[in-house]
Amino acid sequence: MKYFSNILMNLPEFTKNLLSWNQFSNSRQMPWKGETDPYKIWLSEIILQQTRVEQGLAYYEKFISRFPKVQDLAMAQDAEVFKYWEGLGYYSRCRNLLATARWVAFENKGHFPPDYEGLLKLKGVGPYTAAAIASFAFGEPRAVLDGNVFRVLSRYFGINTPIDSLTGKKLYAQLAQALLPTDQPGAYNQAIMDFGAVVCKPQAPLCSACVQQTDCEAYRLGVVGDLPVKEKSIKKRTRYFYYFLLKWNNQYYVRQRGGGDIWQDLHEWVLIEQAEPLATDPSIYRNLLKKYLGTAKLKQLRVGEEVRQQLSHQTIIGRFITAELTIPLSTETGYQLLSPDALSKLAFPRFITAFSPRL
DNA sequence: AAGCCGGGGAT
DNA sequence: ATCCCAGGCTT
């Protein structure tokens, strides 16, 4: 490979310059920085998976305040923890968070596994998170490989191997590990991620003020904006969700969503999904609900405006329809009646918290 | 190896 | 609209 000699030549230089930048120019401050409590490291890392620091920060503070130790999280009810996670997305993280907290607290005497291999066995903990906890909490020399690291290394060394290919992942993992100074793995891992977030950013990187500029292969070739290379592009699909906010006896029908789809474990109103968009005509919605209603009638039916939410892989378009029932629905519908007070303790997807009419 | 899983900010 | 974010799990 053409960049092989370049890597060998610049390997010590890269690490030296990065640590120097970290010491003198890195002002990035975060509450978990310098933390060595594996519980807090773990919690922050799970929250930050595919999530911006600015977005995860408030959630971290809320969780630490309510669940200061892993035992507090382990003993909490699922519903309360999901309520704390509400709005953060990727809800399987929350389910795995609970499973791991309970395993650590109840099956492992409150201790997190003290090394990379042990951490990797935890639910929701993959190669990145295991390396982060191992290096930050236990000083183990494991290089983290996240979006920042991919970007920094691909640009500095001019690597155009796709980061989402198997060979790319292997290559970057080896390179990252080779660059890691074994005497301060935590500080280095923190530094390279800070550097990627603050200087070597995805868009508009601060090359003119970059301490690595003279050694950066992508800068020399003028291809900073083209790296890193990704080969897979996501294709989106559009779905039409019609939510019925059905009221009876001052209570509302709700259910918990199952697996195999978005928003797993979160709650929702009576949902009828359509393949095509629907107009506002109220008769359309009365007909849609017929299979659930039996002899019940709808009063005060109101059809809301069309709303939409963009997810990573899906576009959700829909409406909220409110109505009162003359008699309750059959229990076989799978929906249960809950009071507004009970509903306020449940977690709902953003699509509902953002667009659903007030109770 | 490929597909799926959220929500938000920047461009 | 598109990209990307301190990725991981399932098939």
Side-chain angles (χ1 to χ4, degrees), chain A residues 82 89-92 95 237-241 243 255-268 271 273 309-317 347-352:
Chain A
F82 271 95
Y90 284 152
Y91 296 96
S92 67
R95 192 173 58 258
R237 64 168 168 148
T238 301
R239 303 170 72 177
Y240 301 91
F241 282 11
Y243 275 121
R255 73 173 173 186
Q256 188 170 25
R257 286 180 65 85
D261 201 351
I262 56 174
W263 304 330
Q264 184 173 357
D265 295 329
L266 270 59
H267 294 78
E268 66 181 357
L271 169 66
E273 182 174 358
Q309 186 193 21
Q310 192 63 245
L311 307 182
S312 292
H313 294 76
Q314 301 182 20
T315 303
I316 309 298
I317 301 175
F348 290 82
R350 201 49 120 206
F351 188 78
I352 290 179

Side-chain angles (χ1 to χ4, degrees), chain A residues 145-218:
Chain A
L145 194 51
D146 76 331
N148 292 303
V149 179
F150 276 119
R151 185 171 57 254
V152 171
L153 297 185
S154 74
R155 287 173 176 172
Y156 183 88
F157 294 105
I159 303 169
N160 56 16
T161 307
I163 62 173
D164 51 356
S165 66
L166 186 59
T167 55
K169 283 172 185 159
K170 287 180 183 170
L171 171 65
Y172 282 96
Q174 283 200 359
L175 178 54
Q177 191 63 31
L179 292 164
L180 183 74
T182 55
D183 60 327
Q184 41 181 329
Y188 171 87
N189 278 338
Q190 185 66 59
I192 193 171
M193 289 192 287
D194 285 344
F195 184 78
V198 174
V199 179
C200 199
K201 302 182 293 180
Q203 284 115 10
L206 308 180
C207 296
S208 59
C210 179
V211 298
Q212 307 276 29
Q213 186 197 100
T214 56
D215 306 311
C216 179
E217 185 70 0

Side-chain angles (χ1 to χ4, degrees), chain A residues 224-296:
Chain A
V224 172
D226 301 324
L227 296 176
V229 173
K230 268 188 183 176
E231 59 183 2
K232 300 175 182 64
S233 66
I234 57 171
K235 48 179 182 289
K236 290 177 184 161
R237 64 168 168 148
T238 301
R239 303 170 72 177
Y240 301 91
F241 282 11
Y242 294 92
Y243 275 121
F244 292 82
L245 191 34
L246 301 181
K247 181 180 187 179
W248 186 79
N249 194 22
N250 289 318
Q251 298 176 96
Y252 300 86
Y253 283 95
V254 67
R255 73 173 173 186
Q256 188 170 25
R257 286 180 65 85
D261 201 351
I262 56 174
W263 304 330
Q264 184 173 357
D265 295 329
L266 270 59
H267 294 78
E268 66 181 357
W269 313 128
V270 175
L271 169 66
I272 296 185
E273 182 174 358
Q274 296 292 108
E276 300 293 333
L278 300 179
T280 59
D281 185 350
S283 63
I284 298 174
Y285 298 94
R286 291 183 186 278
N287 278 329
L288 272 186
L289 261 193
K290 266 206 169 107
K291 59 174 179 174
Y292 287 142
L293 289 180
T295 59

Side-chain angles (χ1 to χ4, degrees), chain A residues 108-126:
Chain A
N108 210 43
K109 301 179 179 177
H111 298 298
F112 279 81
D115 58 37
Y116 176 85
E117 293 299 336
L119 290 161
L120 206 49
K121 294 189 175 72
L122 300 175
K123 286 184 179 175
V125 174

